[in-house]
Amino acid sequence: MSPLPVQMENRWADRAEPQPGEGTFYWHMLVGRYAQVRALAQEARDRLAPFSGLHDTPSKWLHMTTLVAGSTDDISLDQGHAMLTEVSRLLADVPPITVTLGRILYHPQAIMLGVESASELKPIHDAVQTATETLTGHPERTEGPATWAPHITIAYSIAKQPAAPLIEALGPRLPAHELTLDSVSLVIQHGPERLWNWQHIGSALLLGETDPL
């Protein structure tokens, strides 16, 4: 995510997306239910309110993308439920995981909350990757770089404009908040990304006991 971008771009200008009637299975950690995440996202939006050319992630669907499992043309709903069952089994002994939010990440196509201590989330990534590959035969397909970098996208860029005024308005950090994650969800995104027509299939819970201090 470094160096800082000079120019913001339109994320969807040349991006291939599912069309109406098509869908994609995603593994997401859905974080919109956490008050502290919604509060951080709203503070960022308030600071960025003077600027056009941004498309906010709906609060309900604030998330960390964990794995792109594949197309609904290739994966059936029955396979999706089987993947959920397997991920639930793999995570049954993993306790909820606490990370820290607050750092702002900038990309030409998006403005994001960084996730500190993100390496702690590796058991979740490993579980969804293993279950997806085992039950579908599909290799790992994550968005972006080969190394998974958990983040929460606050807003996507939908226009070309200088990045510096946005960076100056929002800054490098928001107040730090701890977030304890206790599940990962399987979601179908129906149609184009920006329509947010998501179907929540189910969640696998982290049911392990946290070690006492």
Side-chain angles (χ1 to χ4, degrees):
M1 303 296 177
S2 179
L4 294 172
V6 174
Q7 184 85 358
M8 303 300 289
E9 302 172 357
N10 184 345
R11 173 176 175 82
W12 291 292
D14 300 303
R15 185 178 178 87
E17 291 190 272
Q19 297 303 302
E22 300 176 342
T24 305
F25 279 94
Y26 283 86
W27 288 104
H28 288 313
M29 281 175 271
L30 300 176
V31 296
R33 61 194 174 98
Y34 295 97
Q36 62 268 50
V37 178
R38 296 195 305 273
L40 284 170
Q42 189 58 53
E43 182 168 349
R45 291 167 184 157
D46 290 345
R47 296 188 190 185
L48 294 170
F51 302 95
S52 60
L54 296 173
H55 174 92
D56 293 340
T57 302
S59 294
K60 177 181 179 180
W61 295 128
L62 288 164
H63 63 280
M64 297 181 207
T65 298
T66 311
L67 193 78
V68 185
S71 169
T72 53
D73 291 337
D74 301 324
I75 301 174
S76 69
L77 193 55
D78 284 345
Q79 285 176 303
H81 285 296
M83 288 191 294
L84 265 172
T85 298
E86 179 62 6
V87 172
S88 295
R89 184 188 70 81
L90 292 171
L91 293 177
D93 294 329
V94 177
I97 298 168
T98 298
V99 296
T100 301
L101 307 178
R103 182 186 173 202
I104 299 294
L105 303 176
Y106 296 94
H107 183 275
Q109 295 182 1
I111 297 173
M112 300 154 284
L113 282 171
V115 180
E116 297 178 58
S117 303
S119 61
E120 300 294 328
L121 298 174
K122 189 174 185 298
I124 300 176
H125 184 267
D126 289 347
V128 300
Q129 179 182 341
T130 297
T132 301
E133 292 182 353
T134 299
L135 292 162
T136 69
H138 293 169
E140 177 186 7
R141 283 183 276 188
T142 55
E143 291 184 325
T147 301
W148 182 51
H151 60 271
I152 301 167
T153 299
I154 299 167
Y156 296 95
S157 175
I158 55 173
K160 288 188 175 182
Q161 62 181 313
L166 283 76
I167 296 170
E168 183 177 356
L170 185 54
R173 296 193 68 90
L174 292 174
H177 285 274
E178 286 195 340
L179 175 67
T180 300
L181 296 156
D182 60 5
S183 66
V184 62
S185 298
L186 185 65
V187 171
I188 299 176
Q189 172 196 299
H190 294 285
E193 184 177 35
R194 76 195 83 179
L195 296 183
W196 300 101
N197 183 11
W198 284 15
Q199 178 184 357
H200 179 231
I201 304 304
S203 298
L205 304 181
L206 281 64
L207 297 174
E209 295 185 4
T210 304
D211 290 336
L213 297 177

